[in-house]
Amino acid sequence: MIKDNLISVEKNIVRACEKSGRSLEDVTLIAVSKTKPVELLMEAYDAGIREFGENKVQELVDKYEVMPKDINWHMIGHLQTNKVKYIIDKACLIHGVDSLKLAQEISRQAVKHSVTANILVEINIGDEDTKFGVADSGAAELVNEIAKLPGISIKGLMAIAPYVDDPEENRQYFVKMRNLAVDITSQLDDNITDDMVSLRELSMGMTGDYTVAVEEGATYVRVGTGIFGERDYSKL
Ligand SMILES: *Cc1c(COP(=O)(O)O)cnc(C)c1O
């Protein structure tokens, strides 16, 4: 079942790339496995998936310990400052950085563990009260501040678009993200080098809207339900 789901998600990504003239290598599918048991993740692994996304620190760590070591783990959830230390050497990319305070702790832990933390700055692209993320108007300033911290490399931007019935409604936000990355890049301080900031990555698009996100430039799509089925939070 998971293998079939993966085949259809991958087909949709291919089609979105063809439609928009993008190259398939520029899009990475992250299988969002939160709440799902290791057996199901292993089905995805056996079908070729090596990128997994989790939104809870404990769950990421638990799965990291028992699953094969050639997996790239993406921390896609809101990260609390006091939990950074548990994932600093386990997550390949931290998607949801939206404050200087969190970035400072990531920097501190990265230096302590002698690693470079790859991060994305989260944008509240739909300007929703219920969402984390920095407002687009404050994003350039935050990127410039975080860039100066040791042990951190800013790879791009991340957003959770509004929940909508018709994915076309979110196209405007994906376009806004693409333009924002260009805009912020033009506002980077002179002394910022490419290894400190290069906003190449756009993490956007979920089960409901990933094809539109790919058409508008997503380099990471985060798909959970479309691969693993509905989540059941009642058993947690
Ligand atoms: C859960 C989650 C997803 C996946 O959502 P689906 O709609 O199940 O694809 C993507 N991104 C983030 C940040 C999430 O928390």
Side-chain angles (χ1 to χ4, degrees):
M1 175 199 107
I2 284 182
K3 185 158 189 198
D4 294 337
N5 291 345
L6 276 169
I7 288 170
S8 91
V9 170
E10 279 159 1
K11 251 190 213 148
N12 290 337
I13 292 173
V14 168
R15 209 174 295 133
C17 282
E18 283 168 355
K19 196 173 157 192
S20 54
R22 298 190 61 210
S23 132
L24 188 60
E25 299 97 79
D26 292 340
V27 182
T28 301
L29 171 63
I30 300 173
V32 176
S33 46
K34 63 192 188 198
T35 79
K36 298 296 179 182
V38 167
E39 303 84 79
L40 285 192
L41 275 68
M42 281 309 297
E43 271 189 49
Y45 180 90
D46 289 337
I49 290 290
R50 293 295 178 272
E51 316 285 325
F52 287 87
E54 290 286 340
N55 70 337
K56 296 246 159 40
V57 166
Q58 188 64 53
E59 204 173 337
L60 188 152
V61 170
D62 289 349
K63 288 172 176 170
Y64 176 96
E65 298 297 346
V66 299
M67 290 196 54
K69 289 295 166 253
D70 62 343
I71 289 172
N72 292 321
W73 292 97
H74 295 257
M75 181 62 206
I76 62 170
H78 186 71
L79 185 56
Q80 284 170 285
T81 309
N82 62 342
K83 293 191 176 162
V84 171
K85 57 178 177 285
Y86 301 116
I87 55 117
I88 193 69
D89 56 347
K90 298 186 177 63
C92 69
L93 186 60
I94 301 172
H95 289 235
V97 180
D98 65 354
S99 73
L100 184 61
K101 181 169 160 263
L102 174 58
Q104 282 166 335
E105 176 60 9
I106 292 171
S107 167
R108 207 172 70 84
Q109 293 296 337
V111 169
K112 192 171 159 186
H113 288 81
S114 305
V115 296
T116 298
N118 296 316
I119 69 154
L120 303 178
V121 169
E122 181 172 359
I123 310 295
N124 186 350
I125 200 67
D127 198 20
E128 297 173 282
D129 293 340
T130 52
K131 294 262 164 79
F132 291 107
V134 63
D136 54 356
S137 57
E141 189 185 346
L142 182 61
V143 168
N144 274 307
E145 286 172 338
I146 295 175
K148 296 180 180 75
L149 302 172
I152 286 196
S153 180
I154 307 177
K155 299 296 185 192
L157 306 178
M158 178 266 201
I160 303 174
Y163 186 81
V164 289
D165 288 325
D166 178 4
E168 282 298 329
E169 289 177 49
N170 279 340
R171 188 179 294 275
Q172 54 173 326
Y173 297 117
F174 299 139
V175 171
K176 211 167 139 192
M177 285 286 284
R178 193 180 67 218
N179 292 335
L180 186 60
V182 175
D183 198 41
I184 295 172
T185 301
S186 74
Q187 295 180 56
L188 291 178
D189 297 346
D190 288 340
N191 53 352
I192 290 176
T193 59
D194 209 50
D195 51 310
M196 294 156 81
V197 182
S198 82
L199 302 182
R200 236 180 299 258
E201 309 295 349
L202 289 176
S203 170
M204 56 190 196
M206 303 167 40
T207 296
D209 56 17
Y210 67 91
T211 55
V212 177
V214 168
E215 286 169 20
E216 297 304 340
T219 64
Y220 287 107
V221 289
R222 311 177 307 263
V223 179
T225 311
I227 296 172
F228 296 105
E230 296 287 337
R231 286 177 291 274
D232 182 357
Y233 288 98
S234 68
K235 288 190 196 133
L236 296 179

